[in-house]
Amino acid sequence: MNLKLILTTLFFLIFLTTIVNNTQELTYSGIIKRITIKEEVTFLELENHNIQFVIFTKDILNLKIKDQIKITGKEEIYKGNKQIIVNEIYSLK
Amino acid sequence: MFFYFLSFILGLITGTFTGLVPGIHTNLIMSLLVLINLKINTNYLLVYSITTAITNTFIDFIPSVYFGAPSEDTLLSVSPGHKYLLNKRAHEAVIYTLYGSVIAIISLIFIFPFFYFALSKIYDFLELFFPFLLTLTILFLIYNSKGKKIKAFIIIIFSSILGLIVLNSNITQPLLPLLTGFFGLSQMITSINNNSNPPVQEIKKIKIPKKELISPTLTTIFLSPICSILPGLGASQAATFGQIINKNKSKKQYLILLGSINTLVLSTSIFTLFLINKKRTGLASFISQIIILGKEHLLTIFLTIFFTTIFASILTIFLSKFFAKNINKINYKKLSYSIIILIIFLTILISKMIGLIVLITSTLIGLMTIRERCNRTIMMSSIIIPTIINYIF
């Protein structure tokens, strides 16, 4: 096998891993404006953020409107609209 | 009605474009559409996307046969198709794949009732075996790389690492740079380096005995639904399995098989989305982002597939004849350079600079696979391995 090609590929894989680890998740913080629960999915809206946050559970651990929270998650597009698929929520109370 | 017709015509044009231009896949067009976020009736988008994707599966054998520039789905057709080209019979090879595509659409009539009544009922049970079946697929791909098992294993490791990084990142449309590099850009760079002058082609009337259609049809009906249900598998894997099953069949039957599998995997993926809400192709993924499919869409889907088959068949025959007559007048090198620039531009536009790094890495792995003459479907481990891990953990 071509050693140069293998080493270059390895270099790019390591480089990519480093970049991805540094830009992995998006973080948002704000006050909960609306909570909608549909079947097994919870949708959150925050004040000052024009984006929907999606949590794939209906159990959202006592969160309620006006709570101040911090959310980390990944951006996805659903029906042409940006959504954040939530990985973690922290209460800032 | 006028807008349905317009969407259909635009779909035919786009599908012809993506089919003819190597390296530009319909997934790229779908990614752009999601990015643009058109505020138009979703039914028109549904017709447009299905027409585009199905037309693409008919047309994309033309560059594959005439220029040796396959897409991800047609990559296995290079060898037999190219032999026909060198024997001045490229048009014949394209017509065999066209037979396959038409067979696929007819087969859909037989497969759909099974999908409709059984799939949602047995899917949960089948899902239990997915990690096992996908692992078997990987082992099979290594086993099938005769005399190059270690090379294939190394490429699978590289592809899987890249897949794991990319699919767990927040890169926009991550599959775009990943698959374009693996199957598009790497092949185009190789084709530029292998500057060949094909002979002037002959156009003859082609007749296929009905019994020669039986074996590829049965193989397609058996394999395509499996590959459109299992995550991470697609037309290229189905074709690899088909190649093994039809080992002793003629080149003619093999080309028919490739055409049929390519079209049927795509068509059944629409119904997989409708019935079990699983996105197994770029088309299904796009549809899921614009519309929630219901029974009310079935007639539109079937009519679109039916009319696309008729018009795409006519287009394929016409374009194949055109290329047969004009193959020496086309500057493939210049065309390839322009497409490479376009792909890089679109990758940066959609997936940003990080997408460009993914594109470079996947192109390197693609080049490695071509250089080592390994079956390029092994690079699909980039999707299969993360899927297995996702199921297990």
Side-chain angles (χ1 to χ4, degrees):
Chain A
M1 280 184 102
N2 188 319
L3 194 65
K4 244 187 218 171
L5 203 53
I6 292 179
L7 290 176
T8 318
T9 310
L10 267 175
F11 167 78
F12 272 98
L13 281 173
I14 294 166
F15 183 48
L16 192 64
T17 313
T18 317
I19 295 175
V20 166
N21 282 339
N22 289 329
T23 57
Q24 183 68 349
E25 297 226 294
L26 298 168
T27 306
Y28 293 84
S29 55
I31 296 164
I32 299 176
K33 189 168 76 178
R34 186 178 298 157
I35 301 173
T36 317
I37 300 171
K38 280 184 189 168
E39 292 174 0
E40 294 296 313
V41 187
T42 305
F43 300 92
L44 288 185
E45 283 174 50
L46 299 185
E47 288 176 7
N48 304 323
H49 288 290
N50 194 19
I51 195 163
Q52 200 170 42
F53 298 88
V54 184
I55 312 163
F56 287 100
T57 174
K58 56 182 177 182
D59 174 19
I60 53 162
L61 305 170
N62 301 326
L63 285 179
K64 52 189 186 300
I65 291 168
K66 294 285 176 197
D67 278 358
Q68 194 170 3
I69 56 166
K70 190 170 115 179
I71 289 175
T72 60
K74 278 201 273 186
E75 190 181 283
E76 275 190 12
I77 291 170
Y78 180 70
K79 288 190 186 176
N81 295 318
K82 275 187 187 175
Q83 287 184 331
I84 300 295
I85 308 299
V86 176
N87 281 345
E88 281 173 308
I89 303 178
Y90 309 93
S91 176
L92 298 177
K93 271 192 295 188
Chain B
M1 198 65 205
F2 171 75
F3 285 104
Y4 276 108
F5 180 69
L6 186 67
S7 309
F8 177 73
I9 296 294
L10 287 174
L12 280 177
I13 295 169
T14 317
T16 305
F17 171 74
T18 56
L20 283 181
V21 182
I24 305 280
H25 198 269
T26 47
N27 294 351
L28 180 73
I29 305 294
M30 307 291 168
S31 305
L32 278 173
L33 281 176
V34 171
L35 190 80
I36 295 165
N37 188 16
L38 287 172
K39 298 282 180 209
I40 59 171
N41 186 325
T42 48
N43 284 327
Y44 304 144
L45 278 176
L46 180 69
V47 170
Y48 171 77
S49 58
I50 294 174
T51 311
T52 300
I54 302 260
T55 306
N56 178 76
T57 67
F58 277 65
I59 305 275
D60 66 356
F61 285 100
I62 294 176
S64 178
V65 171
Y66 284 94
F67 303 114
S71 70
E72 171 208 342
D73 303 324
T74 62
L75 57 98
L76 288 168
S77 68
V78 175
S79 185
H82 233 66
K83 281 173 193 156
Y84 275 90
L85 176 77
L86 297 175
N87 290 324
K88 304 176 184 177
R89 291 161 62 197
H91 178 65
E92 203 178 317
V94 172
I95 297 302
Y96 292 142
T97 64
L98 175 63
Y99 263 94
S101 295
V102 175
I103 286 172
I105 299 299
I106 298 166
S107 307
L108 197 62
I109 299 165
F110 299 100
I111 290 171
F112 181 71
F114 161 75
F115 259 57
Y116 192 83
F117 292 108
L119 190 58
S120 53
K121 289 177 186 124
I122 60 169
Y123 183 78
D124 287 342
F125 175 70
L126 287 178
E127 205 173 16
L128 296 172
F129 300 96
F130 281 0
F132 173 69
L133 291 172
L134 291 172
T135 310
L136 267 185
T137 306
I138 291 286
L139 293 174
F140 175 76
L141 289 174
I142 296 173
Y143 172 78
N144 195 37
S145 308
K146 291 197 171 71
K148 302 163 204 153
K149 288 190 178 65
I150 294 172
K151 289 173 182 174
F153 180 71
I154 293 171
I155 292 166
I156 285 175
I157 296 286
F158 277 159
S159 308
S160 308
I161 293 172
L162 182 60
L164 282 167
I165 298 169
V166 170
L167 297 176
N168 289 301
S169 70
N170 53 5
I171 300 170
T172 317
Q173 303 288 340
L175 292 180
L176 170 70
L178 187 74
L179 298 180
T180 308
F182 278 155
F183 303 107
L185 215 54
S186 56
Q187 178 59 43
M188 298 194 71
I189 292 167
T190 311
S191 299
I192 289 171
N193 291 333
N194 301 338
N195 199 13
S196 59
N197 289 317
V200 176
Q201 300 296 307
E202 291 167 0
I203 299 170
K204 286 179 186 167
K205 260 202 161 179
I206 298 144
K207 268 189 178 177
I208 304 174
K210 276 180 193 154
K211 64 176 181 186
E212 290 214 40
L213 299 175
I214 296 169
S215 163
T217 307
L218 292 177
T219 311
T220 305
I221 290 176
F222 173 68
L223 284 175
S224 302
I226 296 172
C227 288
S228 65
I229 293 170
L230 276 166
L233 299 190
S236 52
Q237 285 74 33
T240 306
F241 297 136
Q243 196 178 10
I244 309 297
I245 295 170
N246 287 272
K247 220 172 202 172
N248 300 321
K249 304 295 172 191
S250 65
K251 282 202 277 294
K252 192 189 295 180
Q253 284 178 306
Y254 180 59
L255 285 165
I256 296 169
L257 177 75
L258 285 172
S260 58
I261 283 179
N262 199 12
T263 305
L264 196 59
V265 167
L266 184 93
S267 317
T268 45
S269 76
I270 306 169
F271 300 109
T272 310
L273 174 72
F274 163 61
L275 294 164
I276 52 171
N277 200 25
K278 300 290 174 191
K279 301 161 260 182
R280 299 294 187 236
T281 58
L283 171 68
S285 174
F286 173 73
I287 293 174
S288 75
Q289 289 180 64
I290 58 158
I291 201 166
I292 296 168
L293 284 183
K295 281 180 187 168
E296 66 276 16
H297 298 112
L298 282 181
L299 184 65
T300 311
I301 293 169
F302 272 113
L303 285 177
T304 307
I305 292 175
F306 175 72
F307 284 111
T308 306
T309 306
I310 295 171
F311 284 88
S313 300
I314 297 166
L315 271 171
T316 308
I317 296 168
F318 170 77
L319 288 167
S320 177
K321 281 184 179 171
F322 173 82
F323 279 100
K325 286 174 190 163
N326 299 290
I327 188 162
N328 292 319
K329 294 176 192 160
I330 297 160
N331 189 334
Y332 181 68
K333 218 170 190 176
K334 266 188 189 168
L335 179 73
S336 302
Y337 279 123
S338 324
I339 295 161
I340 289 173
I341 294 167
L342 180 68
I343 288 173
I344 292 171
F345 170 74
L346 289 174
T347 302
I348 297 171
L349 179 75
I350 297 170
S351 306
K352 312 286 178 303
M353 284 311 284
I354 194 167
L356 183 64
I357 298 165
V358 175
L359 183 73
I360 295 169
T361 318
S362 57
T363 304
L364 286 169
I365 297 172
L367 286 171
M368 204 186 294
T369 313
I370 296 170
R371 244 188 130 109
E372 301 304 330
R373 295 180 182 276
C374 289
N375 187 331
R376 296 206 292 158
T377 55
I378 60 175
M379 289 184 284
M380 288 306 280
S381 54
S382 59
I383 295 172
I384 300 173
I385 295 288
T387 310
I388 295 171
I389 292 173
N390 208 20
Y391 269 108
I392 295 174
F393 303 103

Short mmCIF file of all heavy atoms in Angstrom, two decimals, chain B residues 40-73:
data_model
loop_
_atom_site.label_atom_id
_atom_site.label_comp_id
_atom_site.label_asym_id
_atom_site.label_seq_id
_atom_site.Cartn_x
_atom_site.Cartn_y
_atom_site.Cartn_z
N ILE B 40 -42.64 26.56 -0.88
CA ILE B 40 -43.65 26.18 -1.87
C ILE B 40 -44.36 24.92 -1.42
O ILE B 40 -43.90 24.24 -0.50
CB ILE B 40 -43.05 25.98 -3.29
CG1 ILE B 40 -41.97 24.90 -3.29
CG2 ILE B 40 -42.52 27.28 -3.87
CD1 ILE B 40 -41.51 24.52 -4.68
N ASN B 41 -45.48 24.65 -2.06
CA ASN B 41 -46.30 23.48 -1.71
C ASN B 41 -45.42 22.22 -1.64
O ASN B 41 -44.71 21.89 -2.59
CB ASN B 41 -47.38 23.33 -2.80
CG ASN B 41 -48.38 22.25 -2.45
OD1 ASN B 41 -48.03 21.24 -1.86
ND2 ASN B 41 -49.62 22.48 -2.83
N THR B 42 -45.50 21.51 -0.52
CA THR B 42 -44.62 20.36 -0.33
C THR B 42 -44.92 19.22 -1.31
O THR B 42 -44.07 18.41 -1.62
CB THR B 42 -44.71 19.83 1.12
OG1 THR B 42 -46.07 19.71 1.46
CG2 THR B 42 -44.01 20.74 2.08
N ASN B 43 -46.18 19.16 -1.81
CA ASN B 43 -46.51 18.12 -2.80
C ASN B 43 -45.72 18.31 -4.09
O ASN B 43 -45.33 17.34 -4.72
CB ASN B 43 -48.01 18.15 -3.12
CG ASN B 43 -48.82 17.52 -2.00
OD1 ASN B 43 -48.36 16.59 -1.35
ND2 ASN B 43 -49.99 18.06 -1.76
N TYR B 44 -45.49 19.57 -4.46
CA TYR B 44 -44.70 19.83 -5.66
C TYR B 44 -43.24 19.39 -5.43
O TYR B 44 -42.61 18.83 -6.31
CB TYR B 44 -44.73 21.32 -6.06
CG TYR B 44 -46.11 21.88 -6.26
CD1 TYR B 44 -46.42 23.19 -5.89
CD2 TYR B 44 -47.12 21.09 -6.81
CE1 TYR B 44 -47.69 23.70 -6.07
CE2 TYR B 44 -48.40 21.60 -6.98
CZ TYR B 44 -48.68 22.90 -6.61
OH TYR B 44 -49.94 23.40 -6.78
N LEU B 45 -42.76 19.68 -4.22
CA LEU B 45 -41.39 19.25 -3.88
C LEU B 45 -41.27 17.73 -3.87
O LEU B 45 -40.25 17.18 -4.26
CB LEU B 45 -40.99 19.80 -2.51
CG LEU B 45 -40.50 21.25 -2.46
CD1 LEU B 45 -40.23 21.66 -1.02
CD2 LEU B 45 -39.23 21.43 -3.28
N LEU B 46 -42.35 17.07 -3.43
CA LEU B 46 -42.38 15.60 -3.40
C LEU B 46 -42.25 15.06 -4.83
O LEU B 46 -41.40 14.19 -5.10
CB LEU B 46 -43.69 15.12 -2.76
CG LEU B 46 -43.88 13.60 -2.65
CD1 LEU B 46 -42.92 13.01 -1.65
CD2 LEU B 46 -45.32 13.27 -2.24
N VAL B 47 -43.06 15.61 -5.74
CA VAL B 47 -43.02 15.18 -7.15
C VAL B 47 -41.63 15.47 -7.74
O VAL B 47 -41.02 14.61 -8.38
CB VAL B 47 -44.12 15.90 -7.98
CG1 VAL B 47 -43.94 15.64 -9.48
CG2 VAL B 47 -45.49 15.44 -7.53
N TYR B 48 -41.14 16.67 -7.46
CA TYR B 48 -39.84 17.07 -8.00
C TYR B 48 -38.71 16.14 -7.52
O TYR B 48 -37.90 15.66 -8.32
CB TYR B 48 -39.54 18.52 -7.58
CG TYR B 48 -38.14 18.97 -7.91
CD1 TYR B 48 -37.79 19.32 -9.20
CD2 TYR B 48 -37.16 19.01 -6.92
CE1 TYR B 48 -36.50 19.70 -9.51
CE2 TYR B 48 -35.86 19.39 -7.21
CZ TYR B 48 -35.54 19.74 -8.50
OH TYR B 48 -34.26 20.11 -8.81
N SER B 49 -38.71 15.87 -6.20
CA SER B 49 -37.61 15.08 -5.65
C SER B 49 -37.65 13.63 -6.15
O SER B 49 -36.61 13.05 -6.50
CB SER B 49 -37.61 15.12 -4.12
OG SER B 49 -38.84 14.66 -3.63
N ILE B 50 -38.85 13.05 -6.22
CA ILE B 50 -38.96 11.65 -6.71
C ILE B 50 -38.54 11.58 -8.18
O ILE B 50 -37.76 10.71 -8.58
CB ILE B 50 -40.39 11.09 -6.50
CG1 ILE B 50 -40.69 10.96 -5.01
CG2 ILE B 50 -40.55 9.73 -7.18
CD1 ILE B 50 -42.11 10.56 -4.67
N THR B 51 -39.04 12.53 -8.98
CA THR B 51 -38.69 12.53 -10.41
C THR B 51 -37.19 12.68 -10.59
O THR B 51 -36.57 11.95 -11.37
CB THR B 51 -39.42 13.69 -11.14
OG1 THR B 51 -40.79 13.66 -10.78
CG2 THR B 51 -39.30 13.55 -12.64
N THR B 52 -36.59 13.60 -9.83
CA THR B 52 -35.15 13.82 -9.92
C THR B 52 -34.38 12.53 -9.60
O THR B 52 -33.52 12.10 -10.36
CB THR B 52 -34.70 14.93 -8.93
OG1 THR B 52 -35.39 16.12 -9.26
CG2 THR B 52 -33.21 15.17 -8.98
N ALA B 53 -34.72 11.93 -8.46
CA ALA B 53 -33.96 10.77 -7.99
C ALA B 53 -34.13 9.56 -8.92
O ALA B 53 -33.15 8.87 -9.23
CB ALA B 53 -34.38 10.42 -6.57
N ILE B 54 -35.37 9.30 -9.37
CA ILE B 54 -35.59 8.13 -10.25
C ILE B 54 -34.92 8.37 -11.62
O ILE B 54 -34.25 7.48 -12.14
CB ILE B 54 -37.10 7.87 -10.44
CG1 ILE B 54 -37.76 7.63 -9.09
CG2 ILE B 54 -37.34 6.71 -11.43
CD1 ILE B 54 -38.04 6.24 -8.67
N THR B 55 -35.07 9.57 -12.17
CA THR B 55 -34.43 9.86 -13.46
C THR B 55 -32.92 9.66 -13.33
O THR B 55 -32.28 9.09 -14.22
CB THR B 55 -34.72 11.32 -13.89
OG1 THR B 55 -36.13 11.52 -13.87
CG2 THR B 55 -34.20 11.61 -15.28
N ASN B 56 -32.37 10.11 -12.20
CA ASN B 56 -30.94 9.96 -11.96
C ASN B 56 -30.50 8.49 -12.04
O ASN B 56 -29.48 8.17 -12.63
CB ASN B 56 -30.60 10.56 -10.60
CG ASN B 56 -29.14 10.40 -10.26
OD1 ASN B 56 -28.29 11.10 -10.79
ND2 ASN B 56 -28.83 9.46 -9.40
N THR B 57 -31.33 7.60 -11.47
CA THR B 57 -30.93 6.17 -11.48
C THR B 57 -30.96 5.59 -12.90
O THR B 57 -30.30 4.60 -13.18
CB THR B 57 -31.83 5.29 -10.56
OG1 THR B 57 -33.15 5.25 -11.10
CG2 THR B 57 -31.86 5.78 -9.15
N PHE B 58 -31.77 6.18 -13.78
CA PHE B 58 -31.80 5.72 -15.18
C PHE B 58 -30.59 6.24 -15.95
O PHE B 58 -29.96 5.53 -16.70
CB PHE B 58 -33.08 6.22 -15.87
CG PHE B 58 -34.30 5.39 -15.62
CD1 PHE B 58 -34.84 5.28 -14.34
CD2 PHE B 58 -34.92 4.71 -16.65
CE1 PHE B 58 -35.96 4.52 -14.10
CE2 PHE B 58 -36.05 3.94 -16.42
CZ PHE B 58 -36.57 3.84 -15.15
N ILE B 59 -30.30 7.54 -15.73
CA ILE B 59 -29.31 8.23 -16.57
C ILE B 59 -27.88 7.98 -16.11
O ILE B 59 -26.95 8.01 -16.92
CB ILE B 59 -29.59 9.76 -16.58
CG1 ILE B 59 -31.03 10.06 -17.01
CG2 ILE B 59 -28.58 10.52 -17.43
CD1 ILE B 59 -31.31 10.13 -18.48
N ASP B 60 -27.67 7.75 -14.80
CA ASP B 60 -26.29 7.79 -14.30
C ASP B 60 -25.40 6.64 -14.77
O ASP B 60 -24.21 6.61 -14.48
CB ASP B 60 -26.22 7.97 -12.77
CG ASP B 60 -26.77 6.80 -12.01
OD1 ASP B 60 -27.29 5.86 -12.64
OD2 ASP B 60 -26.69 6.83 -10.78
N PHE B 61 -25.96 5.70 -15.53
CA PHE B 61 -25.11 4.67 -16.13
C PHE B 61 -24.40 5.20 -17.38
O PHE B 61 -23.42 4.62 -17.82
CB PHE B 61 -25.95 3.43 -16.49
CG PHE B 61 -26.31 2.63 -15.28
CD1 PHE B 61 -27.57 2.74 -14.71
CD2 PHE B 61 -25.39 1.79 -14.68
CE1 PHE B 61 -27.89 2.03 -13.58
CE2 PHE B 61 -25.71 1.07 -13.55
CZ PHE B 61 -26.96 1.19 -13.00
N ILE B 62 -24.91 6.28 -17.94
CA ILE B 62 -24.32 6.80 -19.20
C ILE B 62 -22.87 7.26 -18.97
O ILE B 62 -21.96 6.75 -19.64
CB ILE B 62 -25.22 7.90 -19.82
CG1 ILE B 62 -26.54 7.27 -20.26
CG2 ILE B 62 -24.52 8.58 -21.00
CD1 ILE B 62 -27.56 8.24 -20.81
N PRO B 63 -22.60 8.19 -18.00
CA PRO B 63 -21.20 8.54 -17.78
C PRO B 63 -20.38 7.36 -17.28
O PRO B 63 -19.19 7.23 -17.58
CB PRO B 63 -21.25 9.65 -16.72
CG PRO B 63 -22.58 9.55 -16.11
CD PRO B 63 -23.50 8.98 -17.15
N SER B 64 -21.06 6.47 -16.53
CA SER B 64 -20.39 5.30 -16.00
C SER B 64 -19.85 4.42 -17.14
O SER B 64 -18.72 3.95 -17.10
CB SER B 64 -21.40 4.54 -15.15
OG SER B 64 -20.86 3.40 -14.64
N VAL B 65 -20.66 4.21 -18.16
CA VAL B 65 -20.27 3.35 -19.28
C VAL B 65 -19.37 4.09 -20.28
O VAL B 65 -18.34 3.58 -20.70
CB VAL B 65 -21.54 2.80 -20.00
CG1 VAL B 65 -21.15 2.08 -21.29
CG2 VAL B 65 -22.30 1.87 -19.08
N TYR B 66 -19.75 5.33 -20.63
CA TYR B 66 -19.01 6.04 -21.67
C TYR B 66 -17.69 6.65 -21.20
O TYR B 66 -16.76 6.79 -21.97
CB TYR B 66 -19.88 7.14 -22.30
CG TYR B 66 -20.92 6.59 -23.25
CD1 TYR B 66 -22.21 6.31 -22.82
CD2 TYR B 66 -20.60 6.33 -24.57
CE1 TYR B 66 -23.16 5.80 -23.68
CE2 TYR B 66 -21.54 5.81 -25.45
CZ TYR B 66 -22.83 5.55 -25.00
OH TYR B 66 -23.75 5.04 -25.86
N PHE B 67 -17.66 7.09 -19.94
CA PHE B 67 -16.44 7.77 -19.47
C PHE B 67 -15.74 7.03 -18.34
O PHE B 67 -14.71 7.50 -17.84
CB PHE B 67 -16.77 9.19 -18.98
CG PHE B 67 -17.43 10.02 -20.02
CD1 PHE B 67 -18.73 10.45 -19.88
CD2 PHE B 67 -16.74 10.39 -21.17
CE1 PHE B 67 -19.35 11.22 -20.83
CE2 PHE B 67 -17.34 11.16 -22.14
CZ PHE B 67 -18.65 11.58 -21.98
N GLY B 68 -16.32 5.93 -17.88
CA GLY B 68 -15.70 5.23 -16.74
C GLY B 68 -15.71 6.07 -15.50
O GLY B 68 -14.82 6.00 -14.67
N ALA B 69 -16.74 6.89 -15.36
CA ALA B 69 -16.85 7.77 -14.19
C ALA B 69 -18.10 7.43 -13.42
O ALA B 69 -19.13 8.07 -13.58
CB ALA B 69 -16.87 9.22 -14.63
N PRO B 70 -18.06 6.39 -12.59
CA PRO B 70 -19.28 5.95 -11.93
C PRO B 70 -19.64 6.80 -10.72
O PRO B 70 -18.80 7.47 -10.15
CB PRO B 70 -18.91 4.54 -11.48
CG PRO B 70 -17.47 4.62 -11.22
CD PRO B 70 -16.90 5.62 -12.17
N SER B 71 -20.91 6.72 -10.38
CA SER B 71 -21.35 7.33 -9.12
C SER B 71 -21.26 6.24 -8.06
O SER B 71 -20.91 5.10 -8.36
CB SER B 71 -22.78 7.82 -9.26
OG SER B 71 -23.64 6.72 -9.34
N GLU B 72 -21.65 6.60 -6.83
CA GLU B 72 -21.62 5.62 -5.73
C GLU B 72 -22.45 4.39 -6.08
O GLU B 72 -22.08 3.25 -5.81
CB GLU B 72 -22.18 6.29 -4.48
CG GLU B 72 -22.41 5.39 -3.33
CD GLU B 72 -23.52 5.91 -2.45
OE1 GLU B 72 -23.86 7.10 -2.55
OE2 GLU B 72 -24.03 5.12 -1.67
N ASP B 73 -23.62 4.62 -6.73
CA ASP B 73 -24.55 3.53 -6.98
C ASP B 73 -24.19 2.71 -8.21
O ASP B 73 -24.66 1.59 -8.37
CB ASP B 73 -25.97 4.10 -7.17
CG ASP B 73 -26.39 4.91 -5.97
OD1 ASP B 73 -26.03 4.51 -4.86
OD2 ASP B 73 -27.06 5.93 -6.15
#
